[in-house]
């Protein structure tokens, strides 16, 4: 494996972003400090980036250079292997500043979990070493026009000593910012394989056509692959992960929940600031300041309580993941992790939507002006929480406790 990703200069050919030196963090405390520093920077222009659909390139580069991209790499491979409690907090902190910045690297962490489950020892060593060096991994799994999100049309076929892959992907968060694009495709035997496609490979094209009204700067658009060559050592037997219990789905969902918790926190903070500084009280309240309206006070109290409950379940779920991963992993242990994260995901989804909606009721008409761009909180919450329907989280939790039904093995539970 070369130490530098391929870079193409011609505008009609896909190009890799530059590979910059990346720090390797040593422990959880350093990871949290790096996240706080990044959040402070990202918060400053987040609203403007959303309005202008300006991609957060500088912020993503800081994420990578700071070492945050490799905090889940095991100690055995030279990484810090921070706890899931820390991973959840890192993504919550960043997402409270800019949830698009939280979502862009989220898939890298999920893909690294898959690689640790299904890749060979040599593949794990090569990929994890590259991530420590600053390589970013983007997503090209989902497709449009199929029966469901698990159904694939993309195909990967043998070509001499390597492979070639063809297909069209969408919702490809992180791909535009990545050095490798992780593409899921079916092989000649109908099995799902995961191919790490190098940026700049002939036949690869990434289109920044994401037009969602929320999470506007994630570049979650189209990836086109036309007989793209892939090295054999970068093709992973992804289908194997369903043969054994794992926490891959729970780990992925934990980060999704952390992003939603961050959105909720930002919406509540902006509501409080606007109520204090800009909004007028309702005439029947007979108070001088909107912040003295007893109904506004009560609603802010309720939002804070619901947020704290969601954050508590998020921390609890992360602790369960840490406990489960520290011991023997069987079906029961994997299910325990999935259900704990599902419970957290229910509350983080609901508080993100509730807080971003309630903001306008409490802050008043002036808060709807475009100059404040406060609607971004609701837009981000509504779009991000569409990743997986929360109604099925309720079902999974109920079936588990009522009938002892273990949740399915996939990336959404």
């Amino acid at each position: 494996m070369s130490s530098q990703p391929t870079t193409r200069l011609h505008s009609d050919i896909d190009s890799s972003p530059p590979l910059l030196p990346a720090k390797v963090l040593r422990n959880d405390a350093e990871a949290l400090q790096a996240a706080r520093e990044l959040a402070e920077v990202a918060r400053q222009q987040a609203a403007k980036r959303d309005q202008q659909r300006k991609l957060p390139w500088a912020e993503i580069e800081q994420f990578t250079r700071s070492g945050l991209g490799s905090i889940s790499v095991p100690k055995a491979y030279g990484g810090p292997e921070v706890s899931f409690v820390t991973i959840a907090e890192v993504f919550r902190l960043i997402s409270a500043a800019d949830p698009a910045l939280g979502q862009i690297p989220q898939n890298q962490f999920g893909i690294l979990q898959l690689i640790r489950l299904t890749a060979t020892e040599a593949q794990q060593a090569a990929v994890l070493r590259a991530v420590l060096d600053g390589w970013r991994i983007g997503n090209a799994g989902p497709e449009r026009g199929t029966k469901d999100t698990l159904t694939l049309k993309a195909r990967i076929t043998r070509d001499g000593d390597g492979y070639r892959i063809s297909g069209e992907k969408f919702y490809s968060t992180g791909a535009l910012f990545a050095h490798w694009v992780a593409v899921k495709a079916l092989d000649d035997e109908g099995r799902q394989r995961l191919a790490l496609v190098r940026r700049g490979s002939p036949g690869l094209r990434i289109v920044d056509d994401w037009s969602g009204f929320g999470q506007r700067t994630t570049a979650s658009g189209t990836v086109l692959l036309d007989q793209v060559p892939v090295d054999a050592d970068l093709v992973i037997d992804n289908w194997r992960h369903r043969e054994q219990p794992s926490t891959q789905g729970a780990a992925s969902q934990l980060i999704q929940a952390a992003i939603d918790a961050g959105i909720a926190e930002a919406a509540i903070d902006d509501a409080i600031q606007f109520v204090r500084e800009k909004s007028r009280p309702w005439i029947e309240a007979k108070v001088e300041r909107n912040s003295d309206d007893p109904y506004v006070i009560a609603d802010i109290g309720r939002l804070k309580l619901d947020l704290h409950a969601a954050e508590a379940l998020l921390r609890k779920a992360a602790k369960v993941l840490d406990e489960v991963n520290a011991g023997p992993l069987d079906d029961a242990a994997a299910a325990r992790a999935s259900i704990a994260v599902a419970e957290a995901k229910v509350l983080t989804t609901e508080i993100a939507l509730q807080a971003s909606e309630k903001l306008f009721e409490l802050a008043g008409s002036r808060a709807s002006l475009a100059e404040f761009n406060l609607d971004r909180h609701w837009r981000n919450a509504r779009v991000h929480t569409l990743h997986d329907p929360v109604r099925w989280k309720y079902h999974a939790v109920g079936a588990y406790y009522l009938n002892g039904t273990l949740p399915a093995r996939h990336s959404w539970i």
Side-chain angles (χ1 to χ4, degrees):
M1 182 176 300
S2 65
S3 61
Q4 295 287 335
T6 304
T7 301
R8 301 293 182 119
L9 300 178
H10 194 285
S11 60
D12 293 334
I13 300 176
D14 180 66
S15 298
S16 173
L19 181 64
L20 303 176
K23 182 178 181 180
V24 178
L25 298 170
R26 294 175 296 178
N27 52 48
D28 295 60
E30 288 188 355
L32 292 170
Q33 182 58 30
R36 294 187 192 102
E37 292 172 359
L38 175 58
E40 187 64 28
V41 171
R43 184 176 290 109
Q44 296 172 14
Q45 298 294 322
K48 183 177 289 187
R49 285 195 299 273
D50 173 86
Q51 282 182 321
Q52 301 175 355
R53 282 194 189 270
K54 183 179 179 182
L55 301 182
W57 275 103
E59 292 75 18
I60 283 293
E61 294 290 6
Q62 181 175 336
F63 180 94
T64 304
R65 290 197 311 272
S66 71
L68 286 171
S70 61
I71 58 175
S72 68
V73 173
K75 288 182 170 63
Y77 294 93
E81 195 174 5
V82 304
S83 67
F84 281 105
V85 171
T86 293
I87 289 173
E89 182 64 3
V90 162
F91 276 87
R92 190 194 67 79
L93 286 167
I94 294 171
S95 298
D98 183 352
L101 184 60
Q103 186 184 342
I104 288 166
Q106 182 266 332
N107 283 299
Q108 172 165 310
F109 282 70
I111 290 162
L112 290 180
Q113 287 287 326
L114 279 175
I115 287 172
R116 291 176 63 181
L117 275 172
T118 59
T120 66
E121 177 60 33
Q123 288 173 325
Q124 291 187 59
V127 173
L128 294 173
R129 180 66 256 173
V131 169
L132 287 169
D133 289 340
W135 287 58
R136 289 190 294 270
I137 304 174
N139 180 50
E143 300 177 10
R144 290 192 288 188
T146 56
K147 175 186 175 182
D148 53 42
T149 193
L150 290 175
T151 304
L152 300 176
K153 293 181 180 177
R155 293 294 184 268
I156 184 167
T157 57
R158 266 286 182 184
D159 182 36
D161 294 334
Y163 290 85
R164 288 192 178 270
I165 190 166
S166 293
E168 180 174 336
K169 302 290 185 173
F170 196 62
Y171 307 113
S172 301
T173 305
L176 190 66
F177 303 92
H179 303 102
W180 274 320
V181 181
V183 182
K184 292 179 181 178
L186 300 180
D187 64 15
D188 293 334
E189 298 178 42
R191 300 173 303 182
Q192 187 182 115
R193 311 291 288 276
L194 181 69
L196 295 180
V197 177
R198 298 173 190 266
R199 292 293 302 278
S201 296
L204 173 66
R205 184 181 172 211
I206 298 177
V207 184
D208 182 15
D209 58 350
W210 172 244
S211 62
F213 61 73
Q215 296 295 88
R216 299 175 68 183
T217 61
T218 58
S220 302
T222 300
V223 170
L224 302 172
L225 305 111
D226 182 12
Q227 292 294 304
V228 178
V230 188
D231 294 343
D233 60 358
L234 293 177
V235 177
I236 296 160
D237 292 338
N238 189 42
W239 53 272
R240 294 186 184 278
H241 83 277
R242 294 197 182 184
E243 295 182 339
Q244 55 188 319
S246 78
T247 58
Q248 186 269 328
S252 177
Q253 285 291 294
L254 182 77
I255 297 176
Q256 302 278 23
I259 293 170
D260 294 335
I263 293 172
E265 179 188 346
I268 294 172
D269 285 350
D270 277 356
I272 289 173
Q273 183 178 0
F274 207 96
V275 166
R276 284 175 177 169
E277 300 175 3
K278 295 184 175 66
S279 61
R280 300 181 296 181
W282 181 238
I283 52 175
E284 293 182 55
K286 295 181 172 56
V287 294
E288 292 299 317
R289 304 177 306 171
N290 195 26
S291 58
D292 290 328
D293 183 324
Y295 294 108
V296 172
I297 291 172
D299 279 343
I300 290 293
R302 179 59 185 268
L303 288 174
K304 276 291 190 179
L305 284 169
D306 288 346
L307 175 64
H308 292 162
E311 290 172 338
L313 275 191
L314 181 67
R315 287 191 295 271
K316 178 184 175 183
K319 288 178 181 178
V320 170
L321 263 170
D322 284 326
E323 292 169 5
V324 167
N325 278 280
L329 188 62
D330 56 17
D331 288 333
R336 178 178 169 233
S338 288
I339 294 301
V341 175
E343 291 176 1
K345 187 67 166 63
V346 167
L347 292 198
T348 59
T349 293
E350 293 184 347
I351 187 57
L353 293 169
Q354 180 186 4
S356 56
E357 165 67 22
K358 199 74 173 176
L359 184 162
F360 297 99
E361 178 186 334
L362 300 179
S365 300
R366 189 181 177 194
S368 68
L369 298 181
E371 65 188 273
F372 303 116
N373 196 26
L374 293 174
D375 59 298
R376 74 185 186 279
H377 298 304
W378 181 86
R379 290 186 286 102
N380 290 335
R382 182 63 283 174
V383 169
H384 189 261
T385 56
L386 294 175
H387 274 87
D388 44 280
V390 76
R391 62 186 180 273
W392 281 97
K393 304 295 184 190
Y394 278 111
H395 180 273
V397 171
Y400 177 79
Y401 288 114
L402 182 62
N403 297 320
T405 304
L406 303 187
R409 290 179 186 169
H410 56 60
S411 298
W412 297 275
I413 188 67

